[in-house]
Amino acid sequence: MANTEHLQQSSFLYFTGQGSDKVYQVHLRPKDEGWVVDYGNGRRGGTLATGTKTSSPLAYEAALKIYDKVVKEKTTKGYTPDQSGALYTSSDLAGRVSGELPQLPTLIAEEQAARYLDDPAWGLQEKADGENRILLIEGAAVRGTNRRGLFVDIPQAWVGAADSVAGRTVIAGEHVGDGFLAFDLLELAGQDLRGAPFIERFGHLQKAASAVPWMTVLALELSAEGKRARAAELLAAHGEGYVLKALDAPFSAGRSTASLKFKFNQSATCEVIRVNAQRSVAVGLRDEAGAMLDLGNVTVPPNEALPAVGTLVEVRYLYRYAGGKFEQPVYKGQRPDMTPADAVLSQVTRIKDRSAALEEDGEA
């Protein structure tokens, strides 16, 4: 078998120029004693023509070089990782370690959230439904990182439009569509603010972001009344959820208890374990022993590329039956920013007993 210490990779690229709407997939994955680079391309929503860039398995380093070359060639021709077709930068730094890691909020249940809504030491922000980004801004230069701390390409519209921010400035937020939703500030004009209380960092963030046209600061609610009203608005608008922030806490990278998230619907990063007919895939998660559990099928929308086996995808669900599969799963998209180690069963916390559910249905 191939060396499993190396990570398989997939890129999903889109092209919407010149009246076209095309998708190109390229996958680096293990086969036999080595690694291969396979691809698929065609009209978005249609059946893709597939092939391989490697006639036989290669050493990982050789296959990775081919994979990177294919991705670079396609992005040079106008393909982009954004499904809207928005052009992205093509940085030689993409995929390299940045040294910046995000703060990741801890998931809490609804009954836990109530006390923080009434606690004046905690604020509330919307949980944006995007990809975690830390932006490093130095004059007109803007670089972005993902939740794994790797540099990633960013929309070209972000580059050169932040030159009013003097000195090195580091801002944490979410990449949603063509915009950036900021929620924290780590450095301002070369000054490290990570040790300052969140409420102080947020005040500086509002001033720094006001001069950047593509950046929006996620509002911070401080009063109990404001927090409860905002939570109700987000629920009514079918939002993702909200994040509770300890106002006096410094920034710390990694999973944090000073940042807590409540999600109206659960979601999990899953691995595609089977591609079915009729544009659906079976997804799975690994248990504590490392065994892959089948969590059921989820339909892939026509405007999404059909992910290959081994691809990581995000699936929203209502709950999981104990020992069973997801109830009402919804496909949200690929997760190239995650690794196979993230696709674990411990993500699933909303579990329902099937017999209890049947009793409830009988009483209704």
Side-chain angles (χ1 to χ4, degrees):
M1 292 293 291
N3 184 355
T4 54
E5 292 181 0
H6 297 305
L7 293 178
Q8 60 185 29
Q9 300 183 44
S10 293
S11 289
F12 299 85
L13 304 171
Y14 304 87
F15 183 84
T16 56
Q18 303 169 5
S20 299
D21 190 5
K22 299 185 292 185
V23 62
Y24 192 98
Q25 303 179 6
V26 57
H27 309 282
L28 171 65
R29 47 196 174 201
K31 182 178 181 181
D32 299 332
E33 297 298 321
W35 291 78
V36 296
V37 178
D38 298 329
Y39 69 89
N41 66 295
R43 182 177 58 82
R44 191 186 321 214
T47 302
L48 302 183
T50 59
T52 184
K53 296 291 185 179
T54 48
S55 57
S56 59
L58 304 173
Y60 178 80
E61 290 74 15
L64 177 61
K65 187 175 181 179
I66 294 173
Y67 172 86
D68 289 339
K69 180 181 178 182
V70 173
V71 173
K72 187 171 183 179
E73 286 177 347
K74 289 298 174 182
T75 53
T76 300
K77 292 179 179 179
Y79 279 80
T80 167
D82 193 295
Q83 294 184 34
S84 69
L87 291 178
Y88 273 48
T89 61
S90 181
S91 170
D92 291 337
L93 290 174
R96 298 185 185 180
V97 175
S98 68
E100 297 286 351
L101 288 172
Q103 184 178 69
L104 302 174
T106 298
L107 182 67
I108 58 172
E110 186 172 12
E111 56 270 21
Q112 296 173 286
R115 79 173 186 87
Y116 295 100
L117 295 176
D118 292 327
D119 190 336
W122 291 77
L124 179 147
Q125 288 178 308
E126 177 184 358
K127 185 188 182 304
D129 189 11
E131 290 192 30
N132 194 297
R133 288 282 180 272
I134 290 180
L135 296 186
L136 290 74
I137 304 173
E138 295 184 78
V142 182
R143 292 175 292 161
T145 73
N146 65 15
R147 60 178 285 142
R148 294 163 56 195
L150 303 178
F151 283 112
V152 293
D153 292 332
I154 58 174
Q156 286 185 355
W158 294 5
V159 178
D163 52 7
S164 58
V165 180
R168 175 184 159 100
T169 296
V170 180
I171 300 177
E174 292 272 327
H175 178 185
V176 180
D178 294 334
F180 182 76
L181 303 182
F183 53 68
D184 202 350
L185 179 69
L186 313 187
E187 293 183 33
L188 177 62
Q191 180 183 1
D192 188 352
L193 299 176
R194 292 172 178 81
F198 170 70
I199 189 65
E200 181 181 325
R201 301 197 307 273
F202 185 78
H204 290 300
L205 172 63
Q206 290 178 303
K207 296 176 183 177
S210 63
V212 184
W214 42 263
M215 187 178 298
T216 301
V217 176
L218 288 172
L220 178 66
E221 299 292 342
L222 299 175
S223 69
E225 181 180 357
K227 285 183 280 186
R228 290 188 177 276
R230 184 59 177 147
E233 288 175 1
L234 292 171
L235 176 61
H238 305 290
E240 179 84 355
Y242 53 81
V243 178
L244 297 156
K245 300 284 188 71
L247 300 178
D248 63 351
F251 174 87
S252 59
R255 191 64 63 187
S256 172
T257 55
S259 179
L260 309 172
K261 63 181 178 182
F262 171 72
K263 300 172 72 173
F264 300 124
N265 288 291
Q266 293 280 34
S267 71
T269 301
C270 303
E271 185 173 328
V272 175
I273 59 176
R274 186 173 61 255
V275 177
N276 307 314
Q278 305 301 320
R279 290 193 61 78
S280 77
V281 296
V283 296
L285 295 170
R286 294 192 182 277
D287 63 16
E288 292 182 355
M292 179 64 75
L293 302 182
D294 187 337
L295 273 296
N297 299 327
V298 59
T299 299
V300 180
N303 64 333
E304 293 270 8
L306 196 65
V309 171
T311 303
L312 298 180
V313 298
E314 195 74 9
V315 177
R316 188 176 68 224
Y317 61 94
L318 190 60
Y319 51 81
R320 179 201 179 206
Y321 280 123
K325 304 182 187 303
F326 288 142
E327 184 71 8
Q328 299 181 24
V330 176
Y331 184 86
K332 296 186 65 180
Q334 300 108 14
R335 290 303 304 265
D337 56 330
M338 306 294 269
T339 71
D342 296 306
V344 291
L345 189 62
S346 58
Q347 297 174 88
V348 181
T349 58
R350 193 169 292 170
I351 301 172
K352 197 168 187 177
D353 181 74
R354 186 176 291 274
S355 61
L358 290 174
E359 289 177 7
E360 289 176 4
D361 290 342
E363 294 172 357

